[in-house]
C-alpha cells in the first residue's frame, strides 16, 4: 500500500484523484493552501482513516514520508493564475523544486501535472509530445505557461542528475464536477451562464476549437501513468482528441440545460490559441489509455453539479 502525497489535492482534479486513491486503498496526504481549492471538495473524505488534509504552500519545503507524489498544486484557470502572476510562477517553479527535493530525500516516484499550455499557440495540429511549442515569454499567460515549462525542465534535470523516477503528464482541458463556479474557463462559464439564464459569452468568432476531457478519464490516466515502469518518464499528452468549436459547445450546453439564453460575442483575449487538440497516440501505446466519456455525458454530470452548487 502506497503513502501518496497529492499537492493541490483540494482542487478540482486533485480532489477526484484523492477519491480514486482512497478507493484503491492508498494512504493519502492531501496538501493545499486553498488558493483555489476548498475544504468542501474533500469534506466527504475527512472521516476516512487513510485520508489526511494539510494546509501548506508548496513554495515552502515540506518534510513528510511518502513514496508517491502527485504534484498538482497550481491554479489552472487564467482568471486565477493571473490574479497573482508572481505567485503562480513561484508555485510552479519553487513548488517543483520543493517537491522534487522531497522525492529525492524519500526516493519517492513523482508525477507532474503539466499542461497543454506548454505548446503555447502551436503551429502543429494535433500536438505530439515531440513538438517544442510556441510560447510568448512575456505575455499575461506566461506566468503559467513558462512556470510549467520550467517545472518540466526541473523534473528532467532531477531525473538526469539525481536519477529520480519522474512522470510528466501534459493535461489538456479537463472538466467535470467541482470546477469553480467562477473558474472563467469555457465549460463552467457556459454552464453557469445557461443555468442563470444569462447570455453565453463567446470570445472572438467562436470558431476556435478546444478538446474537453472528462475528469474521470483524466484521473484514470494519471493513475496509469504513475504505475508505469521506471523507464517511462513522459512527457505524455492526456486529453480527449474530440475537437469542438466554441459555437458547437455553446449549442450543446444550451440544448442540455434548456432555457432562453443566447450567444453574445466579445473580443478574443490576448494569446488565445486558435486550436488545441491532443495527439494521444503515446498515451494509448504506453498507458493503454483512451478517454471513454462522451462530451454530452460528461456535460450532464457537470451541469447536475453546477445546478446543486448554484442552489446551495
Ligand atoms: N483542469 C484542467 O483542465 C487542467 C489542464 C492542464 C493542467 N492542469 C493542471 O492540473 C493541476 C490541477 O488543476 P485544477 O484544474 O484542479 O485546478 P484547481 O485550481 O482547482 O486546483 C489547483 C489546486 O492547487 C492549490 N494550490 C495553488 N497554489 C498552491 C500552493 N502554492 N501551494 C499549495 N497548493 C496550491 C489550489 O488551492 C487548488 O486546490 C494544476 O497543476 C493545473 O495546472 C489542469
Amino acid at each position: 500500500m502506497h503513502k501518496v502525497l497529492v499537492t493541490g489535492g483540494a482542487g478540482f482534479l486533485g480532489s477526484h484523484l484523492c477519491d480514486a486513491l482512497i478507493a484503491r486503498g492508498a494512504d493519502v496526504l492531501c496538501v493545499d493552501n486553498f488558493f483555489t481549492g476548498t475544504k468542501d471538495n474533500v469534506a466527504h473524505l475527512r472521516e476516512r482513516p487513510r485520508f489526511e488534509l494539510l494546509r501548506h504552500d508548496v513554495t515552502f519545503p515540506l518534510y513528510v514520508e511518502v513514496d508517491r507524489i502527485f504534484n498538482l498544486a497550481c491554479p489552472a484557470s487564467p482568471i486565477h493564475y493571473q490574479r497573482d502572476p508572481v505567485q503562480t510562477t513561484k508555485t510552479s517553479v519553487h513548488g517543483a523544486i520543493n517537491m522534487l527535493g522531497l522525492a529525492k530525500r524519500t526516493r519517492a516516484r513523482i508525477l507532474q501535472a503539466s499542461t497543454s499550455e506548454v505548446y503555447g499557440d502551436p503551429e502543429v495540429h494535433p500536438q505530439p509530445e515531440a513538438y517544442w511549442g510556441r510560447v510568448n515569454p512575456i505575455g499575461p499567460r506566461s506566468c503559467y505557461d513558462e512556470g510549467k515549462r520550467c517545472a518540466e525542465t526541473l523534473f528532467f534535470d532531477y531525473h538526469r542528475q539525481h536519477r529520480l523516477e519522474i512522470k510528466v503528464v501534459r493535461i489538456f482541458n479537463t472538466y467535470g464536477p467541482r470546477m469553480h463556479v467562477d473558474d472563467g474557463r469555457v465549460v463552467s462559464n457556459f454552464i453557469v451562464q445557461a443555468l442563470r439564464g444569462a447570455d453565453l459569452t463567446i470570445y472572438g468568432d467562436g470558431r476556435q476549437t478546444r478538446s474537453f476531457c472528462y475528469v474521470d478519464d483524466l484521473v484514470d490516466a494519471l493513475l496509469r501513468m504513475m504505475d508505469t515502469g521506471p523507464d517511462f518518464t513522459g512527457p505524455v499528452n492526456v486529453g480527449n482528441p474530440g475537437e469542438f468549436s466554441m459555437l458547437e459547445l455553446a449549442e450543446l450546453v444550451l440544448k442540455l440545460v434548456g432555457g432562453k439564453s443566447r450567444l453574445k460575442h466579445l473580443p478574443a483575449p490576448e494569446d488565445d490559441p486558435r486550436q488545441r487538440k491532443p495527439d494521444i497516440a503515446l498515451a494509448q501505446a504506453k498507458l493503454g489509455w483512451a478517454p471513454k466519456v462522451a462530451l454530452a455525458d460528461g456535460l450532464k454530470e457537470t451541469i447536475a453539479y453546477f445546478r446543486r452548487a448554484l442552489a446551495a
Side-chain angles (χ1 to χ4, degrees):
M1 191 191 57
H2 290 297
K3 289 194 176 125
V4 186
L5 167 62
V6 179
T7 76
F12 159 50
L13 298 182
S15 61
H16 286 277
L17 177 61
C18 288
D19 285 345
L21 288 164
I22 289 286
R24 279 180 147 203
D27 218 279
V28 176
L29 174 59
C30 168
V31 161
D32 208 295
N33 70 348
F34 306 117
F35 181 67
T36 49
T38 67
K39 289 180 190 166
D40 287 347
N41 283 341
V42 288
H44 58 287
L45 294 174
R46 291 299 290 272
E47 302 307 318
R48 302 293 289 260
R50 296 198 192 288
F51 180 78
E52 240 180 306
L53 175 62
L54 175 68
R55 180 191 290 268
H56 175 80
D57 186 321
V58 295
T59 62
F60 297 95
L62 179 66
Y63 298 95
V64 289
E65 303 308 315
V66 289
D67 54 22
R68 294 272 188 277
I69 303 171
F70 288 88
N71 188 35
L72 272 64
C74 186
S77 99
I79 287 183
H80 295 141
Y81 71 63
Q82 288 172 11
R83 191 185 300 153
D84 187 348
V86 173
Q87 175 67 14
T88 298
T89 303
K90 277 188 186 170
T91 293
S92 275
V93 177
H94 293 193
I97 291 171
N98 288 326
M99 292 310 116
L100 287 161
L102 174 63
K104 184 179 162 210
R105 184 178 65 75
T106 56
R107 298 316 294 174
R109 184 179 286 186
I110 181 166
L111 180 148
Q112 168 68 357
S114 190
T115 170
S116 56
E117 302 294 335
V118 300
Y119 298 122
D121 192 2
E123 309 101 321
V124 175
H125 297 286
Q127 294 93 42
E129 290 83 354
Y131 176 57
W132 289 357
R134 191 168 73 114
V135 174
N136 175 359
I138 56 168
R141 302 173 79 111
S142 311
C143 59
Y144 184 73
D145 303 4
E146 296 289 20
K148 289 285 189 180
R149 286 171 67 95
C150 185
E152 286 199 10
T153 307
L154 285 160
F155 267 67
F156 278 86
D157 281 335
Y158 267 78
H159 173 65
R160 284 183 287 256
Q161 201 174 328
H162 301 298
R163 301 186 192 286
L164 237 61
E165 273 189 44
I166 62 154
K167 309 281 171 193
V168 175
V169 179
R170 291 182 178 155
I171 302 171
F172 284 64
N173 279 357
T174 302
Y175 70 99
R178 300 190 202 142
M179 289 183 92
H180 273 262
V181 169
D182 66 348
D183 167 285
R185 281 177 288 182
V186 66
V187 173
S188 50
N189 270 3
F190 283 173
I191 294 175
V192 170
Q193 286 168 336
L195 287 171
R196 286 180 170 153
D199 290 343
L200 273 57
T201 319
I202 306 251
Y203 294 98
D205 61 12
R207 288 181 216 286
Q208 67 274 39
T209 63
R210 294 289 184 277
S211 63
F212 304 101
C213 184
Y214 189 62
V215 61
D216 290 357
D217 283 332
L218 191 276
V219 166
D220 179 33
L222 294 182
L223 294 172
R224 284 169 187 256
M225 181 62 173
M226 186 57 107
D227 287 344
T228 54
D231 293 340
F232 186 57
T233 57
V236 61
N237 290 337
V238 169
N240 191 321
E243 215 177 344
F244 295 86
S245 73
M246 297 304 97
L247 291 171
E248 286 169 323
L249 177 69
E251 274 151 25
L252 185 53
V253 168
L254 284 180
K255 194 175 118 195
L256 294 171
V257 172
K260 297 200 178 95
S261 305
R262 294 182 185 186
L263 307 186
K264 182 173 80 181
H265 287 264
L266 289 180
E270 199 180 330
D271 291 349
D272 190 38
R274 292 293 306 163
Q275 201 181 10
R276 188 50 70 61
K277 169 185 162 133
D279 175 334
I280 60 163
L282 188 63
Q284 283 171 314
K286 294 287 189 180
L287 311 181
W289 175 90
K292 295 192 186 95
V293 181
L295 182 60
D297 295 334
L299 284 178
K300 280 181 203 154
E301 295 293 325
T302 313
I303 290 166
Y305 165 78
F306 277 116
R307 230 184 256 286
R308 289 194 301 276
L310 292 179

